[in-house]
Amino acid sequence: MTNWTRKTADELAQALAAGEVTSVELTQAHLDRIAAVDGDADAGVHAFLHVDAEGALAQAKASDERRAAGAPASYLDGVPIAVKDVLATEGVPTTVASKILEGWIPPYDATVVKKLKAAGLPILGKTNMDEFAMGSSTEHSAYGPTRNPWDQTRIPGGSGGGSAAAVSAFEAPLAIGTDTGGSIRQPAAVTGSVGVKPTYGGVSRYGLVAMANSLDQVGPVTRTVLDSALLHELIGGHDPLDSTSIDAPVPAFADAAREGAAGDLTGLKVGVITELHGDGYQAGVLARFNESLDLLRAAGAEVVEVSCPSFVHALATYYLLMPSEASSNLAKFDAMRYGVRVTPEGDPSAEDVMRASRDAGFGDEVKRRIIIGTYALSSGYYEAYYGQAQKVRTLITRDFEAAFEQVDVLVSPTSPTTAFKLGEKLDDPIAMYLNDLATIPANLAGVPGISLPNGLADEDGLPSGFQILAPATEDVRLYRVGAALEAALEKNWGGPLLDRAPELEGVQA
């Protein structure tokens, strides 16, 4: 019997088109897998906060009817997907993993969710995340942490650890994530999956519960580069409801991935970012990175070193700009219009209710970033902190521009280390923030990036990730180079890296 949950989205699409399986059967198989291994806050992977079995099966039935009529809505019609719980889903809870939005049912769909439904992809449910997307480990979820399918004592990355874990645990063939400072790419790196941060404005943010408007970007989380390309083509494109949306046709990402998989990178120039490898990076991560560079050379690429000196300031810049935008965005959660309302005893004023509700509804990390952001935006310190950070952001963008005049793509390890133990860095926010060291520059400049698995670190046998960055609107380069490297790696491994992941034990329902 075919184990459909182990198939890629591309393979599932082909099987659906050939009539080998129905969408209802595929969707039920993934729902069964979720029931078997996902568990809850106390045990299991805990990738999902809400599973919409009834809705997913209804969407799958409609997909089968379209295919029977010879009118599939898209190539991926009928292939199930999971959605990060930061995107509005009509009639299905959207909590951003926060108590302040517990039980909130949106009256509308985010544009990306609309596109998924229009393309016929059954939505399995909403995945766990750090509260309001603030974190690098998914430990800051108000509903308990997600666990890494490779080792359930370790983190799955963050903030989008739920989406990455769902894909790598074979609970979903596809997932949607969001990336503000690496929240798609870093979880992909530590779970052995593929994650793409599109060019800023390449995918609509309408219906995304914003953390930092100038940094947030929706993107694909999958098990292969081709699957990411296929999903990117579905969700990309101009949206008049998003003022930052790029008004341009969606490129042929899947064609670029298929071209890259042939393995010929002759004439391509790859730049290794001097500031994003070396000191502070785990030895096993660097070893896999250098081996990947050798494979790119073998495919015909020229590999050179490129310095981006302003990148050393990226982390500090990000942790001024992002909290500033977040403190402004989260001001709307005031208990007056929606969300949790806590009424203190006595005769409280509206301000008392707001204070009590925000204190009860927000977690510690969210409060920390609101305080930092409010301070950075205060009248006496605006220019000293926020204003200076914006100037450094411009320098980082200029470094990218200068680098891309020399090379076609830039590369680095995605994360300095493999997955760390749950609880290991919870009491040390600075150590937690350092996990985004290599991913943050792309968000500050708005350029696209991809992370794909490039092996297991020698020290702990856990996945590491290889990051590829391209100029803005040149996302096709990510797919061509990523697919070429993926093909070379899998040839060496004898199959996908996830084939080497430990089999998950079932959990009690």
Side-chain angles (χ1 to χ4, degrees):
M1 176 183 267
T2 302
N3 184 351
W4 294 109
T5 63
R6 307 290 291 203
K7 299 292 185 181
T8 68
D10 182 48
E11 290 168 340
L12 294 178
Q14 292 181 42
L16 285 165
E20 297 170 11
V21 67
T22 67
S23 179
V24 168
E25 290 169 336
L26 289 185
T27 303
Q28 188 61 61
H30 285 91
L31 290 169
D32 291 345
R33 175 71 175 173
I34 294 167
V37 305
D38 203 60
D40 53 28
D42 298 318
V45 176
H46 195 220
F48 284 86
L49 290 179
H50 177 80
V51 177
D52 184 21
E54 183 179 345
L57 288 170
Q59 292 163 28
K61 182 182 177 185
S63 172
D64 289 333
E65 290 170 354
R66 284 191 298 273
R67 285 201 179 269
S74 71
Y75 178 70
L76 292 176
D77 193 348
V79 178
I81 190 168
V83 175
K84 187 177 180 181
D85 196 32
V86 70
L87 287 160
T89 44
E90 183 179 357
V92 176
T94 299
T95 69
V96 289
S98 178
K99 290 292 185 183
I100 208 158
L101 278 180
E102 187 169 20
W104 182 58
I105 309 291
Y108 70 100
D109 280 326
T111 294
V112 165
V113 174
K114 274 187 178 178
K115 289 190 172 189
L116 294 175
K117 289 181 176 179
L121 282 70
I123 297 174
L124 296 166
K126 306 296 287 294
T127 58
N128 200 7
M129 56 185 283
D130 286 295
E131 183 182 5
F132 279 96
M134 298 184 191
S136 303
S137 65
T138 315
E139 292 173 285
H140 294 299
S141 169
Y143 305 102
T146 296
R147 300 171 188 84
N148 194 319
W150 287 82
D151 178 350
Q152 292 190 46
T153 67
R154 295 179 183 265
I155 59 101
S159 65
S163 288
V167 166
S168 59
F170 302 99
E171 297 178 79
L174 300 167
I176 295 293
T178 61
D179 194 308
T180 307
S183 294
I184 288 175
R185 289 163 290 153
Q186 185 253 4
V190 301
T191 59
S193 51
V194 176
V196 177
K197 177 208 126 23
T199 294
Y200 182 78
V203 177
S204 173
R205 292 184 300 108
Y206 179 76
L208 164 68
V209 182
M211 173 169 69
N213 304 62
S214 75
L215 300 163
D216 297 337
Q217 188 56 66
V218 182
V221 182
T222 67
R223 289 194 288 270
T224 72
V225 173
L226 176 58
D227 283 358
S228 280
L230 291 166
L231 182 53
H232 193 168
E233 286 184 4
L234 280 186
I235 63 175
H238 181 246
D239 178 15
L241 298 175
D242 177 0
S243 62
T244 61
S245 178
I246 297 171
D247 190 0
V250 178
F253 299 129
D255 287 348
R258 292 187 178 103
E259 178 191 347
D264 184 6
L265 296 179
T266 303
L268 185 88
K269 204 165 184 179
V270 176
V272 178
I273 304 170
T274 304
E275 290 75 15
L276 296 185
H277 74 287
D279 292 344
Y281 285 74
Q282 185 177 321
V285 170
L286 286 177
R288 300 294 84 78
F289 176 68
N290 290 325
E291 290 167 3
S292 298
L293 293 179
D294 289 339
L295 291 175
L296 292 177
R297 291 187 186 98
E302 179 186 355
V303 179
V304 299
E305 192 151 314
V306 177
S307 178
C308 297
S310 298
F311 282 19
V312 298
H313 305 298
L315 194 71
T317 301
Y318 176 84
Y319 278 102
L320 280 170
L321 298 179
M322 176 273 297
S324 297
E325 294 189 31
S327 71
S328 177
N329 276 322
L330 269 60
K332 65 170 127 343
F333 298 99
D334 55 9
M336 297 294 110
R337 289 162 287 188
Y338 46 74
V340 168
R341 177 179 293 181
V342 176
T343 305
E345 293 182 3
D347 185 23
S349 65
E351 186 175 318
D352 293 331
V353 173
M354 290 180 196
R355 184 183 297 112
S357 300
R358 286 167 69 86
D359 182 52
F362 289 141
D364 289 344
E365 182 61 25
V366 174
K367 291 174 183 174
R368 180 182 294 119
R369 298 196 193 193
I370 289 174
I371 291 168
I372 292 171
T374 303
Y375 183 81
L377 291 175
S378 58
S379 60
Y381 298 97
Y382 179 93
E383 186 53 39
Y385 291 108
Y386 185 80
Q388 290 296 316
Q390 288 286 28
K391 292 175 183 176
V392 177
R393 183 179 194 172
T394 299
L395 295 177
I396 290 166
T397 301
R398 289 176 181 169
D399 276 359
F400 269 115
E401 292 169 352
F404 286 129
E405 288 179 359
Q406 304 172 56
V407 298
D408 298 301
V409 295
L410 294 168
V411 298
S412 76
T414 309
S415 178
T417 69
T418 55
F420 50 88
K421 293 277 189 180
L422 288 163
E424 184 179 322
K425 299 184 180 181
L426 267 180
D427 297 328
D428 189 348
I430 301 300
M432 185 77 81
Y433 298 164
L434 287 170
N435 288 285
D436 301 328
L437 196 65
T439 52
I440 280 172
N443 297 84
L444 291 171
V447 303
I450 186 173
S451 177
L452 64 148
N454 67 335
L456 304 177
D458 301 321
E459 301 92 334
D460 47 31
L462 292 171
S464 66
F466 188 90
Q467 176 177 238
I468 306 166
L469 305 173
T473 71
E474 290 294 336
D475 305 46
V476 287
R477 298 186 194 180
L478 304 179
Y479 291 112
R480 181 185 169 215
V481 180
L485 178 58
E486 179 184 63
L489 287 164
E490 292 191 357
K491 182 179 179 182
N492 287 351
W493 298 332
L497 188 68
L498 278 168
D499 285 353
R500 297 154 70 178
E503 184 53 53
L504 295 172
E505 296 181 5
V507 292
Q508 294 294 323

